[in-house]
Amino acid sequence: MSNSTPQTMGQQFGRRSWAEPWKIKMVEPLTMVGRAERQKALVEAGYNTFLLRSEEVYIDLLTDSGTSAMSDRQWAGMMTGDEAYAGSRNYYNLEAAIRNHYGYRYIVPTHQGRGAEHLISQVAIRRGQYVPGNMYFTTTRLHQELAGGVFVDVIVDAAHDPADRSPFKGDVDLAKLERVVREQGAANIAYVSLAATVNMAGGQPVSMGNAKTLREFCGRHGIRLFLDATRLVENAFFIQEREPGYAGKSIAQIAREFCDCTDGAWMSAKKDSLVNIGGWLAVNDWTLFEEIRNLVVVYEGLHTYGGLAGRDMEAMAIGIEESMQDDHVRSRIGQVRYLGELLEDWDIPMVQPVGGHAIFLDARAFYPQLTQDQYPAQTLAAELYLDSGIRSMERGVVSAGRDAVTGGHHYPKLELTRLTIPRRVYTQAHMDVVAESVKAVYDGRAAARGLKMVYEPRYLRFFQARFEPL
Ligand SMILES: Cc1ncc(COP(=O)(O)O)c(C=O)c1O
């Protein structure tokens, strides 16, 4: 990085450069506010990046959820919205796209992922049942708990270690799962909750081998296996790249093979599927579907729109097709990796290997002087915003929330700050600016003093909690 001759991206990393498989035809100007205004905005937002106005943000890496750029084909599809209350043609296009690519038989749209999580939790969990899963996700676990379920983490130990470079840190540890089933009895397991990739572990993938073993295990014990398919496309990329036997298969083939190991899935289409809003729930079992189809009317809308406009369903149907294209996925993950390579070159501590949707900075390693009660990852997100107007998100003790039984904080091993890359939105130059800001904050790490929480909402506190400097 210290070379004074200009170098292409490929030269910098000793390989040929690649470029995005699209060109830009519409732009949205960015705003850049000065440091004094950023300081003021941060205080007003209670040191919580979720409470900043987007106009106060320069490069927005809060989330990859609903923040993607839609294609010209998707925008054209929006104009073909059939806004009939019932039986919209766009619903049938969506159903066909999901059946084709994810392979499930029965589908309801939902307004976004958590709408689907709510429905599956209500129909598939009986009060007191256990729900083993490969690390928790905030909204997923909350819906499972609100339905009376008890979440149990059965992910491999490597997932909790940011420095461990194992290729499939999203895998379920079969020994842990077997123990839960043995201790609680198969009848007390609502289902196995499998996320691919695993957001809270750093966007880490699940191997096909693990999915197949789980299929066999669950089949043997009469337990259902449900998939959080939110970033399955990105998971398929890692299988193609890392798992023997998959290099010659397409992302679409791998994604379908993975789904075929499971009994159903919920989806936040705001990620992989390149739309700004939308989700779905799909299962293969008709009896279960009947319950879902009945309940969706109560919480989302009729089963042929599930809280979405016809135009949204059309954009999603087209987005599903586009999301499965190999060159798209390669460039999407390539951009995340580019940022990772820059940071690695500067020895910035982060989750390894770099996952599919984000760089997860290791806030414990940034700030060894802070305890988890001083919110290191929240502090790091605030410092980054202050330095450059870049918005990131806490994924540590604040996101982990409180134990539903004891009321005490969950103290996760991972205390991370997430730089999440929206799809098809930012350029390589933006990534350079982000990397330099992370470096500047890392260089100033010794001065960080941490935060205290001064307001804590009851549910999903990370969204609305407020903090003050210590
Ligand atoms: C893995 C995973 N599952 C579920 C959800 C919930 O989806 P939504 O935000 O669309 O409600 C998210 C959102 O971030 C997610 O990352």
Side-chain angles (χ1 to χ4, degrees):
M1 298 299 296
S2 56
N3 198 326
S4 57
T5 329
Q7 289 195 320
T8 66
M9 175 175 72
Q11 279 176 314
Q12 286 172 45
F13 300 107
R15 52 170 160 70
R16 288 291 291 267
S17 294
W18 54 266
E20 286 77 6
W22 38 260
K23 56 185 179 176
I24 298 165
K25 80 163 115 192
M26 189 187 282
V27 297
E28 178 184 339
L30 297 178
T31 48
M32 169 65 137
V33 300
R35 191 176 172 102
E37 287 158 288
R38 292 202 292 274
Q39 176 69 63
K40 190 162 162 278
L42 199 55
V43 172
E44 273 169 21
Y47 289 78
N48 185 346
T49 50
F50 276 101
L51 301 179
L52 291 165
R53 292 168 182 242
S54 87
E55 282 160 349
E56 295 161 343
V57 172
Y58 174 39
I59 298 175
D60 202 346
L61 306 186
L62 182 72
T63 175
D64 63 332
S65 182
T67 52
S68 297
M70 291 209 297
S71 68
D72 50 359
R73 280 184 64 228
Q74 285 178 291
W75 280 109
M78 297 283 279
M79 297 306 290
T80 66
D82 168 5
E83 306 306 344
Y85 187 91
S88 159
R89 110 170 64 83
N90 314 114
Y91 165 76
Y92 294 102
N93 291 344
L94 175 63
E95 183 188 56
I98 297 169
R99 280 192 177 152
N100 185 22
H101 284 292
Y102 294 87
Y104 302 111
R105 269 179 233 144
Y106 310 117
I107 290 127
V108 289
T110 58
H111 76 283
Q112 59 183 78
R114 71 199 71 179
E117 288 173 340
H118 175 221
L119 297 177
I120 191 71
S121 303
Q122 292 298 323
V123 300
I125 299 174
R126 280 198 322 274
R127 199 150 284 283
Q129 279 188 319
Y130 290 79
V131 190
N134 55 342
M135 200 174 268
Y136 85 100
F137 182 71
T138 54
T139 56
T140 317
R141 185 180 65 191
L142 179 60
H143 280 296
Q144 290 164 351
E145 287 175 353
L146 289 173
V150 182
F151 173 80
V152 195
D153 186 5
V154 291
I155 201 166
V156 291
D157 287 344
H160 295 283
D161 177 0
D164 189 309
R165 288 180 186 251
S166 305
F168 291 105
K169 285 166 76 174
D171 278 357
V172 166
D173 182 330
L174 259 291
K176 288 186 191 173
L177 178 59
E178 258 173 339
R179 197 175 320 123
V180 180
V181 174
R182 199 173 49 245
E183 284 171 9
Q184 308 305 335
N188 286 323
I189 308 296
Y191 53 88
V192 172
S193 178
L194 181 69
T197 58
V198 183
N199 189 350
M200 303 302 280
Q204 300 298 323
V206 177
S207 64
M208 188 71 83
N210 196 242
K212 291 196 166 163
T213 309
L214 281 169
R215 168 73 280 152
E216 190 279 320
F217 177 89
C218 288
R220 192 153 35 90
H221 290 277
I223 298 170
R224 285 183 295 215
L225 175 59
F226 291 131
L227 173 67
D228 181 341
T230 297
R231 296 185 185 84
L232 177 65
V233 165
E234 291 170 7
N235 198 96
F237 171 86
F238 291 115
I239 290 175
Q240 188 187 55
E241 183 184 65
R242 298 177 185 169
E243 200 161 349
Y246 287 92
K249 293 195 181 180
S250 68
I251 297 289
Q253 285 171 324
I254 297 169
R256 180 61 196 269
E257 190 176 324
F258 199 98
C259 289
D260 287 349
C261 297
T262 68
D263 298 300
W266 64 89
M267 176 77 179
S268 170
K270 299 170 71 174
K271 283 81 166 176
D272 268 356
S273 308
L274 301 161
V275 286
N276 304 123
I277 194 71
W280 47 262
L281 176 59
V283 292
N284 288 330
D285 178 71
W286 171 256
T287 316
L288 189 64
F289 178 66
E290 268 199 304
E291 283 184 61
I292 292 167
R293 193 181 56 169
N294 194 201
L295 210 59
V296 76
V297 191
V298 183
Y299 292 106
E300 302 279 319
L302 189 67
H303 58 281
T304 55
Y305 76 84
L308 294 170
R311 56 181 173 272
D312 296 325
M313 292 190 283
E314 190 63 28
M316 208 194 313
I318 298 168
I320 288 171
E321 305 283 344
E322 292 183 359
S323 74
M324 298 271 175
Q325 290 166 10
D326 285 53
D327 58 354
H328 157 70
V329 192
R330 204 174 307 121
S331 97
R332 187 278 183 283
I333 294 182
Q335 187 176 45
V336 179
R337 282 184 173 168
Y338 172 68
L339 178 56
E341 283 169 334
L342 293 177
L343 297 177
E344 195 166 1
D345 209 36
W346 284 323
D347 293 325
I348 308 286
M350 60 186 162
V351 173
Q352 297 284 2
V354 166
H357 65 302
I359 299 294
F360 287 73
L361 302 173
D362 183 357
R364 281 183 198 268
F366 262 69
Y367 302 135
Q369 70 271 34
L370 302 184
T371 67
Q372 257 183 314
D373 288 319
Q374 295 166 324
Y375 308 114
Q378 190 79 30
T379 304
L380 179 49
E383 291 293 339
L384 265 173
Y385 174 71
L386 205 55
D387 179 72
S388 57
I390 290 165
R391 171 152 69 172
S392 57
M393 173 201 294
E394 194 265 7
R395 278 308 184 212
V397 66
V398 185
S399 293
R402 289 183 183 274
D403 186 293
V405 179
T406 67
H409 290 298
H410 284 293
Y411 287 103
K413 287 197 183 131
L414 297 175
E415 181 69 30
L416 309 172
T417 303
R418 189 179 80 177
L419 300 161
T420 338
I421 316 298
R423 296 162 186 81
R424 309 193 291 206
V425 171
Y426 290 115
T427 66
Q428 188 178 325
H430 291 113
M431 295 303 113
D432 290 344
V433 170
V434 172
E436 287 175 18
S437 178
V438 173
K439 168 88 165 69
V441 171
Y442 189 57
D443 289 345
R445 61 193 181 278
R449 293 284 161 268
L451 296 166
K452 64 175 176 198
M453 203 187 311
V454 292
Y455 168 68
E456 180 180 355
R458 182 159 164 212
Y459 299 119
L460 302 173
R461 61 187 186 180
F462 60 95
F463 282 129
Q464 291 152 342
R466 300 185 70 84
F467 302 83
E468 283 174 5
L470 283 170

